Amino acid sequence: MTKEQLSQLGKTLWAIADDLRGAMNADDFRDYMLSFLFLRYLSDNYESAAKKELGQDYPHLDAEDRSAPLAVWYAENAGDVTDFEKQMRRKMHYVIHPDYLWSSIYERARTQDAELLQTLERGFSYIENESFASTFQGLFSEINLNSEKLGRTPKARNDKLCTIITKIAEGIAQFSTENDILGDAYEYLIGQFAAGSGKKAGEFYTPQTVSTILSRIVTLDSQNPATGKKKKLNNVLDFACGSGSLLLNVRNQMGPHGIGKIYGQEKNITTYNLARMNMLLHGVKDSEFEIHHGDSLTNDWELLNEMNPAKKLQCDAVVANPPFSYRWQPSEALGEDFRFKNYGLAPKSAADFAFLLHGFHFLGDEGTMAIILPHGVLFRGGVESRIRTKLLKDGHIDTVIGLPSNLFFSTGIPVCILVLKKCKKPDDVLFINAAEHFEKGKRQNQLLSEHIDKIVETYQKRPDEIERYARRVGMKEIEKNDYNLNISRYVSTAKPEPEVDLAAVHAQLGAIEKRISEASGKHNHYLEQLNLPPV
């Protein structure tokens, strides 16, 4: 799908959302819109696979017959349904009963069927509990089909849903039905809703340009980035995964078979559901990812609480964009936690280092971690200074990348990317000052492809110095600066004063004095003719 087609599809769907949400705020309507796109995606893939599986037995209906072909097959072959669904589970990892396919739902909406709302409720429950081998309980928990925001009466709500579904179906019908189209549209709409949500968007969305930088870095060989991309990542973790776009970007870099398993964690229930839908919508099978609803700081995920080092989850790539300077409640028990015990607890005013240490604990020896954090982590004192110092002395901080301000929906401040490794070769830190390299936008500044390429290529090649942009700094110099990582200490951003050509300036002044002398002589000549004293 071309960028132009994606943009047009996104604009079409966004216009539908903007037109139909009425009094409903954008965040509420987002959940309805994206859930229906998700249902359409699952249905399209399932019907396409069913058609291939059944071959000549797949019903071919007249143009006037708007029934779902699978519904006809189910009715005519009731005795074979169980075996058919068993086979589809092997191939597709899920099944959808014909009553709940998008084509069936759309037909009910198009004909203003009074049972649409109840059918949708049953369909959502079916997908959560029966479609997949692993249950996706609560996947649609934030979709309240009986909300008064849809209408005051059941009929009004049913009518509203008929309109929304019909408009979405008609909007999508104008475009190609390639497999990736709805995944792209889903990602586009998440970005649009994020832009409309302002600061709240930081909870669930990392701008794609920034996401691409992290993804390209963690997929490179950790010891010799210049040699290029790794062939395989066994495990990838994002412990503050939001809608999952950062994890999907890593998968996009590696290809559909380049990652063993994707792990994500998200505290916000709505965003957690978005992430699970987003994975499935991009063709990630339910056996290929695991998203947990919970708090990373308290580490309530049983998988990550394994005390046996031999069984501990070790990841080849860890990426994250956690909430900046999040206030938390560090306790004595957390002080003994295996993630923090060797480093210390981040202050309650800013959990930035707590998030970093959480992710770093699960990084494998040959892995790479890239995390987005506020600049304060580079220079703040107190316990943060002690954590930063130990990470540096142990040789774990590999690269510091300063980004331009106003890139994020959640904050206008400039932020940085820290790249960490358990075992890194060079005894130095690479500083990249990319703060001045961006395109100014009306609402947000933008990183263009050339800006992204320059950051990644500099990280790969690790040059000794690029004037006003990057520099490798040895540990002795960092130690002299009390382990302060403020980028301006190491990469000068001062613009040199332009050289002055003294000879040219002297000649210019001489020419000016000559013109003054000539003008003065002419002026005094006129004064003499008027019998006035010269000046």
Side-chain angles (χ1 to χ4, degrees):
M1 186 180 191
T2 66
K3 286 186 177 181
E4 291 75 18
Q5 289 173 323
L6 173 58
S7 177
Q8 190 55 51
L9 172 60
K11 286 175 183 176
T12 299
L13 291 172
W14 181 247
I16 292 169
D18 212 32
D19 182 49
L20 294 179
R21 68 184 177 90
M24 197 182 298
N25 68 48
D27 287 343
D28 287 333
F29 194 80
R30 174 194 69 207
D31 300 331
Y32 291 96
M33 189 87 177
L34 296 179
S35 294
F36 293 145
L37 279 183
F38 176 61
L39 178 59
R40 163 72 193 264
Y41 172 85
L42 290 181
S43 299
D44 279 5
N45 274 11
Y46 188 71
E47 287 184 292
S48 177
K51 186 175 183 179
K52 188 175 180 180
E53 180 66 26
L54 293 173
Q56 293 182 345
D57 292 334
Y58 189 79
H60 297 278
L61 308 180
D62 295 334
E64 303 81 40
D65 190 343
R66 290 177 172 266
S67 305
L70 261 186
V72 175
W73 187 88
Y74 266 58
E76 294 176 351
N77 301 273
D80 297 326
V81 167
T82 301
D83 288 339
F84 168 74
E85 290 189 344
K86 190 176 180 180
Q87 180 69 1
M88 291 301 288
R89 283 189 189 280
R90 275 201 296 266
K91 292 194 171 182
M92 295 296 294
H93 287 250
Y94 69 93
V95 297
I96 299 182
H97 190 279
D99 288 350
Y100 310 131
L101 290 168
W102 174 259
S103 54
S104 299
I105 296 294
Y106 168 48
E107 183 57 18
R108 285 184 182 274
R110 189 187 69 82
T111 57
Q112 298 283 304
D113 191 306
E115 296 295 314
L116 173 68
L117 194 152
Q118 286 79 9
T119 305
L120 270 176
E121 286 182 323
R122 291 194 299 272
F124 284 165
S125 176
Y126 177 89
I127 291 171
E128 287 182 341
N129 300 301
E130 298 180 50
S131 279
F132 295 87
S134 49
T135 60
F136 280 80
Q137 289 183 354
L139 191 62
F140 299 99
S141 62
E142 297 301 290
I143 314 300
N144 183 1
L145 296 173
N146 291 297
S147 169
E148 288 200 359
K149 293 176 181 178
L150 280 172
R152 291 189 176 182
T153 65
K155 183 181 184 307
R157 292 192 283 275
N158 197 81
D159 291 347
K160 180 75 169 179
L161 286 168
C162 286
T163 303
I164 292 171
I165 291 168
T166 301
K167 288 286 187 182
I168 291 173
E170 291 172 352
I172 295 174
Q174 302 172 34
F175 297 90
S176 162
T177 55
E178 298 169 25
N179 284 342
D180 63 347
I181 184 172
L182 292 181
D184 290 341
Y186 190 92
E187 199 71 27
Y188 179 94
L189 283 175
I190 287 177
Q192 289 298 103
F193 279 115
S197 298
K199 288 189 176 180
K200 289 171 67 180
E203 296 174 4
F204 64 87
Y205 191 71
T206 303
Q208 282 294 315
T209 51
V210 181
S211 175
T212 299
I213 296 171
L214 272 71
S215 304
R216 287 178 61 181
I217 284 174
V218 300
T219 53
L220 292 169
D221 185 89
S222 61
Q223 295 303 318
N224 296 296
T227 61
K229 197 178 293 184
K230 288 184 176 180
K231 292 180 179 178
K232 178 89 174 180
L233 296 176
N234 291 320
N235 297 314
V236 176
L237 170 67
D238 182 348
F239 54 83
C241 70
S243 61
S245 60
L246 186 44
L247 285 169
L248 286 168
N249 208 321
V250 176
R251 183 175 184 265
N252 185 51
Q253 296 294 329
M254 295 300 296
H257 307 295
I259 298 176
K261 191 151 187 179
I262 291 171
Y263 294 93
Q265 184 162 3
E266 176 53 42
K267 186 178 181 181
N268 180 292
I269 181 66
T270 305
T271 312
Y272 160 67
N273 287 331
L274 274 183
R276 293 193 292 171
M277 286 186 197
N278 207 4
M279 289 291 149
L280 294 167
L281 221 145
H282 282 84
V284 188
K285 295 182 175 66
D286 61 322
S287 58
E288 295 174 339
F289 75 92
E290 196 169 337
I291 308 285
H292 177 72
H293 176 227
D295 189 339
S296 293
L297 294 177
T298 57
N299 199 21
D300 55 9
W301 193 359
E302 188 177 340
L303 173 73
L304 302 186
N305 259 310
E306 178 57 61
M307 300 301 291
N308 184 344
K311 296 181 179 179
K312 182 184 80 171
L313 177 68
Q314 296 198 57
C315 300
D316 294 329
V318 177
V319 290
N321 176 23
F324 301 149
S325 300
Y326 179 76
R327 295 189 69 85
W328 70 312
Q329 298 297 324
S331 62
E332 286 186 25
L334 279 174
E336 294 300 310
D337 188 285
F338 53 79
R339 299 167 295 163
F340 311 130
K341 190 173 182 179
N342 293 330
Y343 292 91
L345 284 173
K348 64 180 181 181
S349 59
D352 301 312
F353 271 112
F355 282 120
L356 182 151
L357 291 172
H358 172 82
F360 187 67
H361 180 78
F362 301 104
L363 182 67
D365 288 345
E366 296 299 319
T368 304
M369 175 177 175
I371 182 171
I372 303 167
L373 294 169
H375 270 276
V377 300
L378 302 177
F379 54 79
R380 288 193 296 243
V383 67
E384 289 185 289
S385 175
R386 292 196 293 276
I387 296 171
R388 183 174 62 246
T389 299
K390 180 162 177 54
L391 285 167
L392 284 163
K393 285 183 175 180
D394 291 349
H396 295 322
I397 297 180
D398 179 86
T399 303
V400 179
I401 303 169
L403 296 178
S405 60
N406 205 29
L407 289 178
F408 292 78
F409 298 113
S410 53
T411 180
I413 64 170
V415 299
C416 65
I417 297 172
L418 284 187
V419 180
L420 298 102
K421 297 173 185 178
K422 287 278 176 78
C423 306
K424 74 183 183 80
K425 283 185 177 180
D427 185 30
D428 55 37
V429 176
L430 174 65
F431 289 85
I432 300 175
N433 174 32
E436 298 177 4
H437 300 259
F438 63 93
E439 184 176 74
K440 194 165 182 62
K442 289 182 180 179
R443 299 176 69 177
Q444 253 82 37
N445 291 329
Q446 299 289 329
L447 292 175
L448 303 180
S449 58
E450 56 260 36
H451 303 139
I452 297 170
D453 289 343
K454 187 172 183 180
I455 291 171
V456 177
E457 286 170 12
T458 303
Y459 165 78
Q460 272 189 284
K461 295 175 182 176
R462 208 174 182 86
D464 288 335
E465 185 170 8
I466 299 175
E467 188 177 1
R468 299 188 68 252
Y469 188 77
R471 183 170 162 242
R472 284 173 61 177
V473 180
M475 290 307 300
K476 287 185 178 179
E477 183 177 344
I478 292 172
E479 183 181 357
K480 285 179 183 177
N481 280 297
D482 295 322
Y483 298 97
N484 185 314
L485 296 180
N486 203 343
I487 297 171
S488 60
R489 286 183 177 234
Y490 305 102
V491 182
S492 174
T493 57
K495 294 181 180 179
E497 292 287 335
E499 287 188 10
V500 178
D501 187 338
L502 293 178
V505 172
H506 180 75
Q508 191 176 17
L509 288 173
I512 291 171
E513 286 182 356
K514 183 179 179 182
R515 290 202 303 273
I516 291 172
S517 177
E518 290 173 352
S520 178
K522 186 181 290 186
H523 185 67
N524 284 334
H525 175 69
Y526 293 139
L527 290 176
E528 185 181 351
Q529 290 180 336
L530 295 170
N531 294 319
L532 294 174
V535 294

